[in-house]
Amino acid sequence: MKKPELLAPAGDLERLKIALLYGADAVYIGGPMLGLRANAINFTLDEIKEGCDFAHKLGKKVHVTVNIVLHNKEIKYIKDYLINLEKAGVDAVIISDPAILKIAKENTNLELHLSTQASTLNIEAVKFFKDFGVKRVVLGRETSKKDIKQIIDNVDVDIEMFIHGAMCSSYSGRCVLSNFFTARDANRGGCAQICRWDFNLLDEDKTPLKGEKEFTFCTKDLSNLVNLPEICDMGVSSLKIEGRMRSVYYIATVVGIYRKAIDEYCNNPSKYEYNLEYEKVLRNCANRDSITQFFNGNFGKESQYYNGRQEVSNQDFLGLVLDYKDGIVTLEQRNYFKVGDVVEFFGPNTKTFEYKIEEVFNDMNESIDIVRHPKQIVTMKVSQPLEKFDMMRIKKD
């Protein structure tokens, strides 16, 4: 069995470094143009080069999204942009528009990946894009395990699939609700997430139908941790986590859990046991319910929220380790915490351990009881060693 690549999102350089340090084999990022996250910070070309240099020193890769639906006005920019990505050291570009595929193939040696925005779900489509020069196909989120297996068995091309993160209520890359309601084009990076709005529900006579709450058709999130052994056995090349706009804590947590689970199964399949603690950690770091979605077949009402839902902002992430020396940890605060709190430290090389906060000092070396200022720098005595980029979170029962 070949161990699949673990591919993580990164919205900026900090998240790129966190994703790779916490176990991702590769990251996918958005450049200064032609990606599908217009509201994300995205990378400049200089930052892309810095990110590629960082990744390559670790023996890892950087993929850049160029998956916008192309209009005539952008054609003149494409060639030079793709050439500049290649010069920056990018390993692959993720593309949905055949025109961009053609331009990239003719003018660069970049590895070509077909974006999930192309909604590729069948053998013949995969064959078509392989013949076009595509090295990897990112299947649509709607593909079932039966279809994935048939594609892998019949087409000699790398297959990438989403294993964790948000879903689209439409076929990915085919939704125009955002355009219709807000004039923000979902296929050009401006999705207003209309599917998460609340609506009045009417019958065929336009009579209001009353439910427990306002009607919504927001999807639940995807989590395929439980199906990981089956996915690895099928020969999927790359396992993709969604979320270029997610926090460093979310990325570190999700990447760290999947890294452990993939290694535990692939290194010793016969001894592998599903870890309920991993599932608990994944559920705690997200703010929506998650299920396996289409992997085991089409779900009905269980896959969506029809009567509304609550999305409480996650406050578990308390601090990022900046330094550790002589038993003193220097932390950058990310959420409110205080003396007496019971917390956990974790990291890519640090086994999770519990700690009760006894005393905290500010940057003036003054003892304080509460850490409430955004990104406040504080120090604490912690006997167990820590590393830069380790994290502190709430300890949950």
Side-chain angles (χ1 to χ4, degrees), residues 167-231:
M167 294 287 291
C168 183
S169 64
S170 177
Y171 277 99
S172 300
R174 310 276 175 102
C175 183
V176 294
L177 283 175
S178 183
N179 308 50
F180 182 80
F181 282 98
T182 68
R184 287 169 51 181
D185 194 335
N187 300 302
R188 292 172 60 77
C191 182
Q193 299 183 327
I194 306 303
C195 54
R196 298 183 187 175
W197 291 13
D198 293 334
F199 293 90
N200 294 323
L201 185 62
L202 310 177
D203 66 13
E204 60 271 18
D205 298 320
K206 296 187 178 180
T207 302
L209 297 175
K210 294 297 182 182
E212 298 173 15
K213 299 179 181 178
E214 297 299 314
F215 176 77
T216 178
F217 52 97
C218 171
T219 60
K220 295 179 181 178
D221 280 0
L222 165 70
S223 179
N224 256 320
L225 183 69
V226 69
N227 294 312
L228 199 57
E230 192 171 6
I231 292 169

Side-chain angles (χ1 to χ4, degrees), residues 254-274:
V254 176
V255 169
I257 291 296
Y258 276 96
R259 177 76 279 151
K260 291 176 184 176
I262 292 168
D263 290 348
E264 287 169 8
Y265 178 72
C266 292
N267 293 345
N268 198 346
S270 63
K271 296 290 182 67
Y272 178 78
E273 292 184 6
Y274 184 69

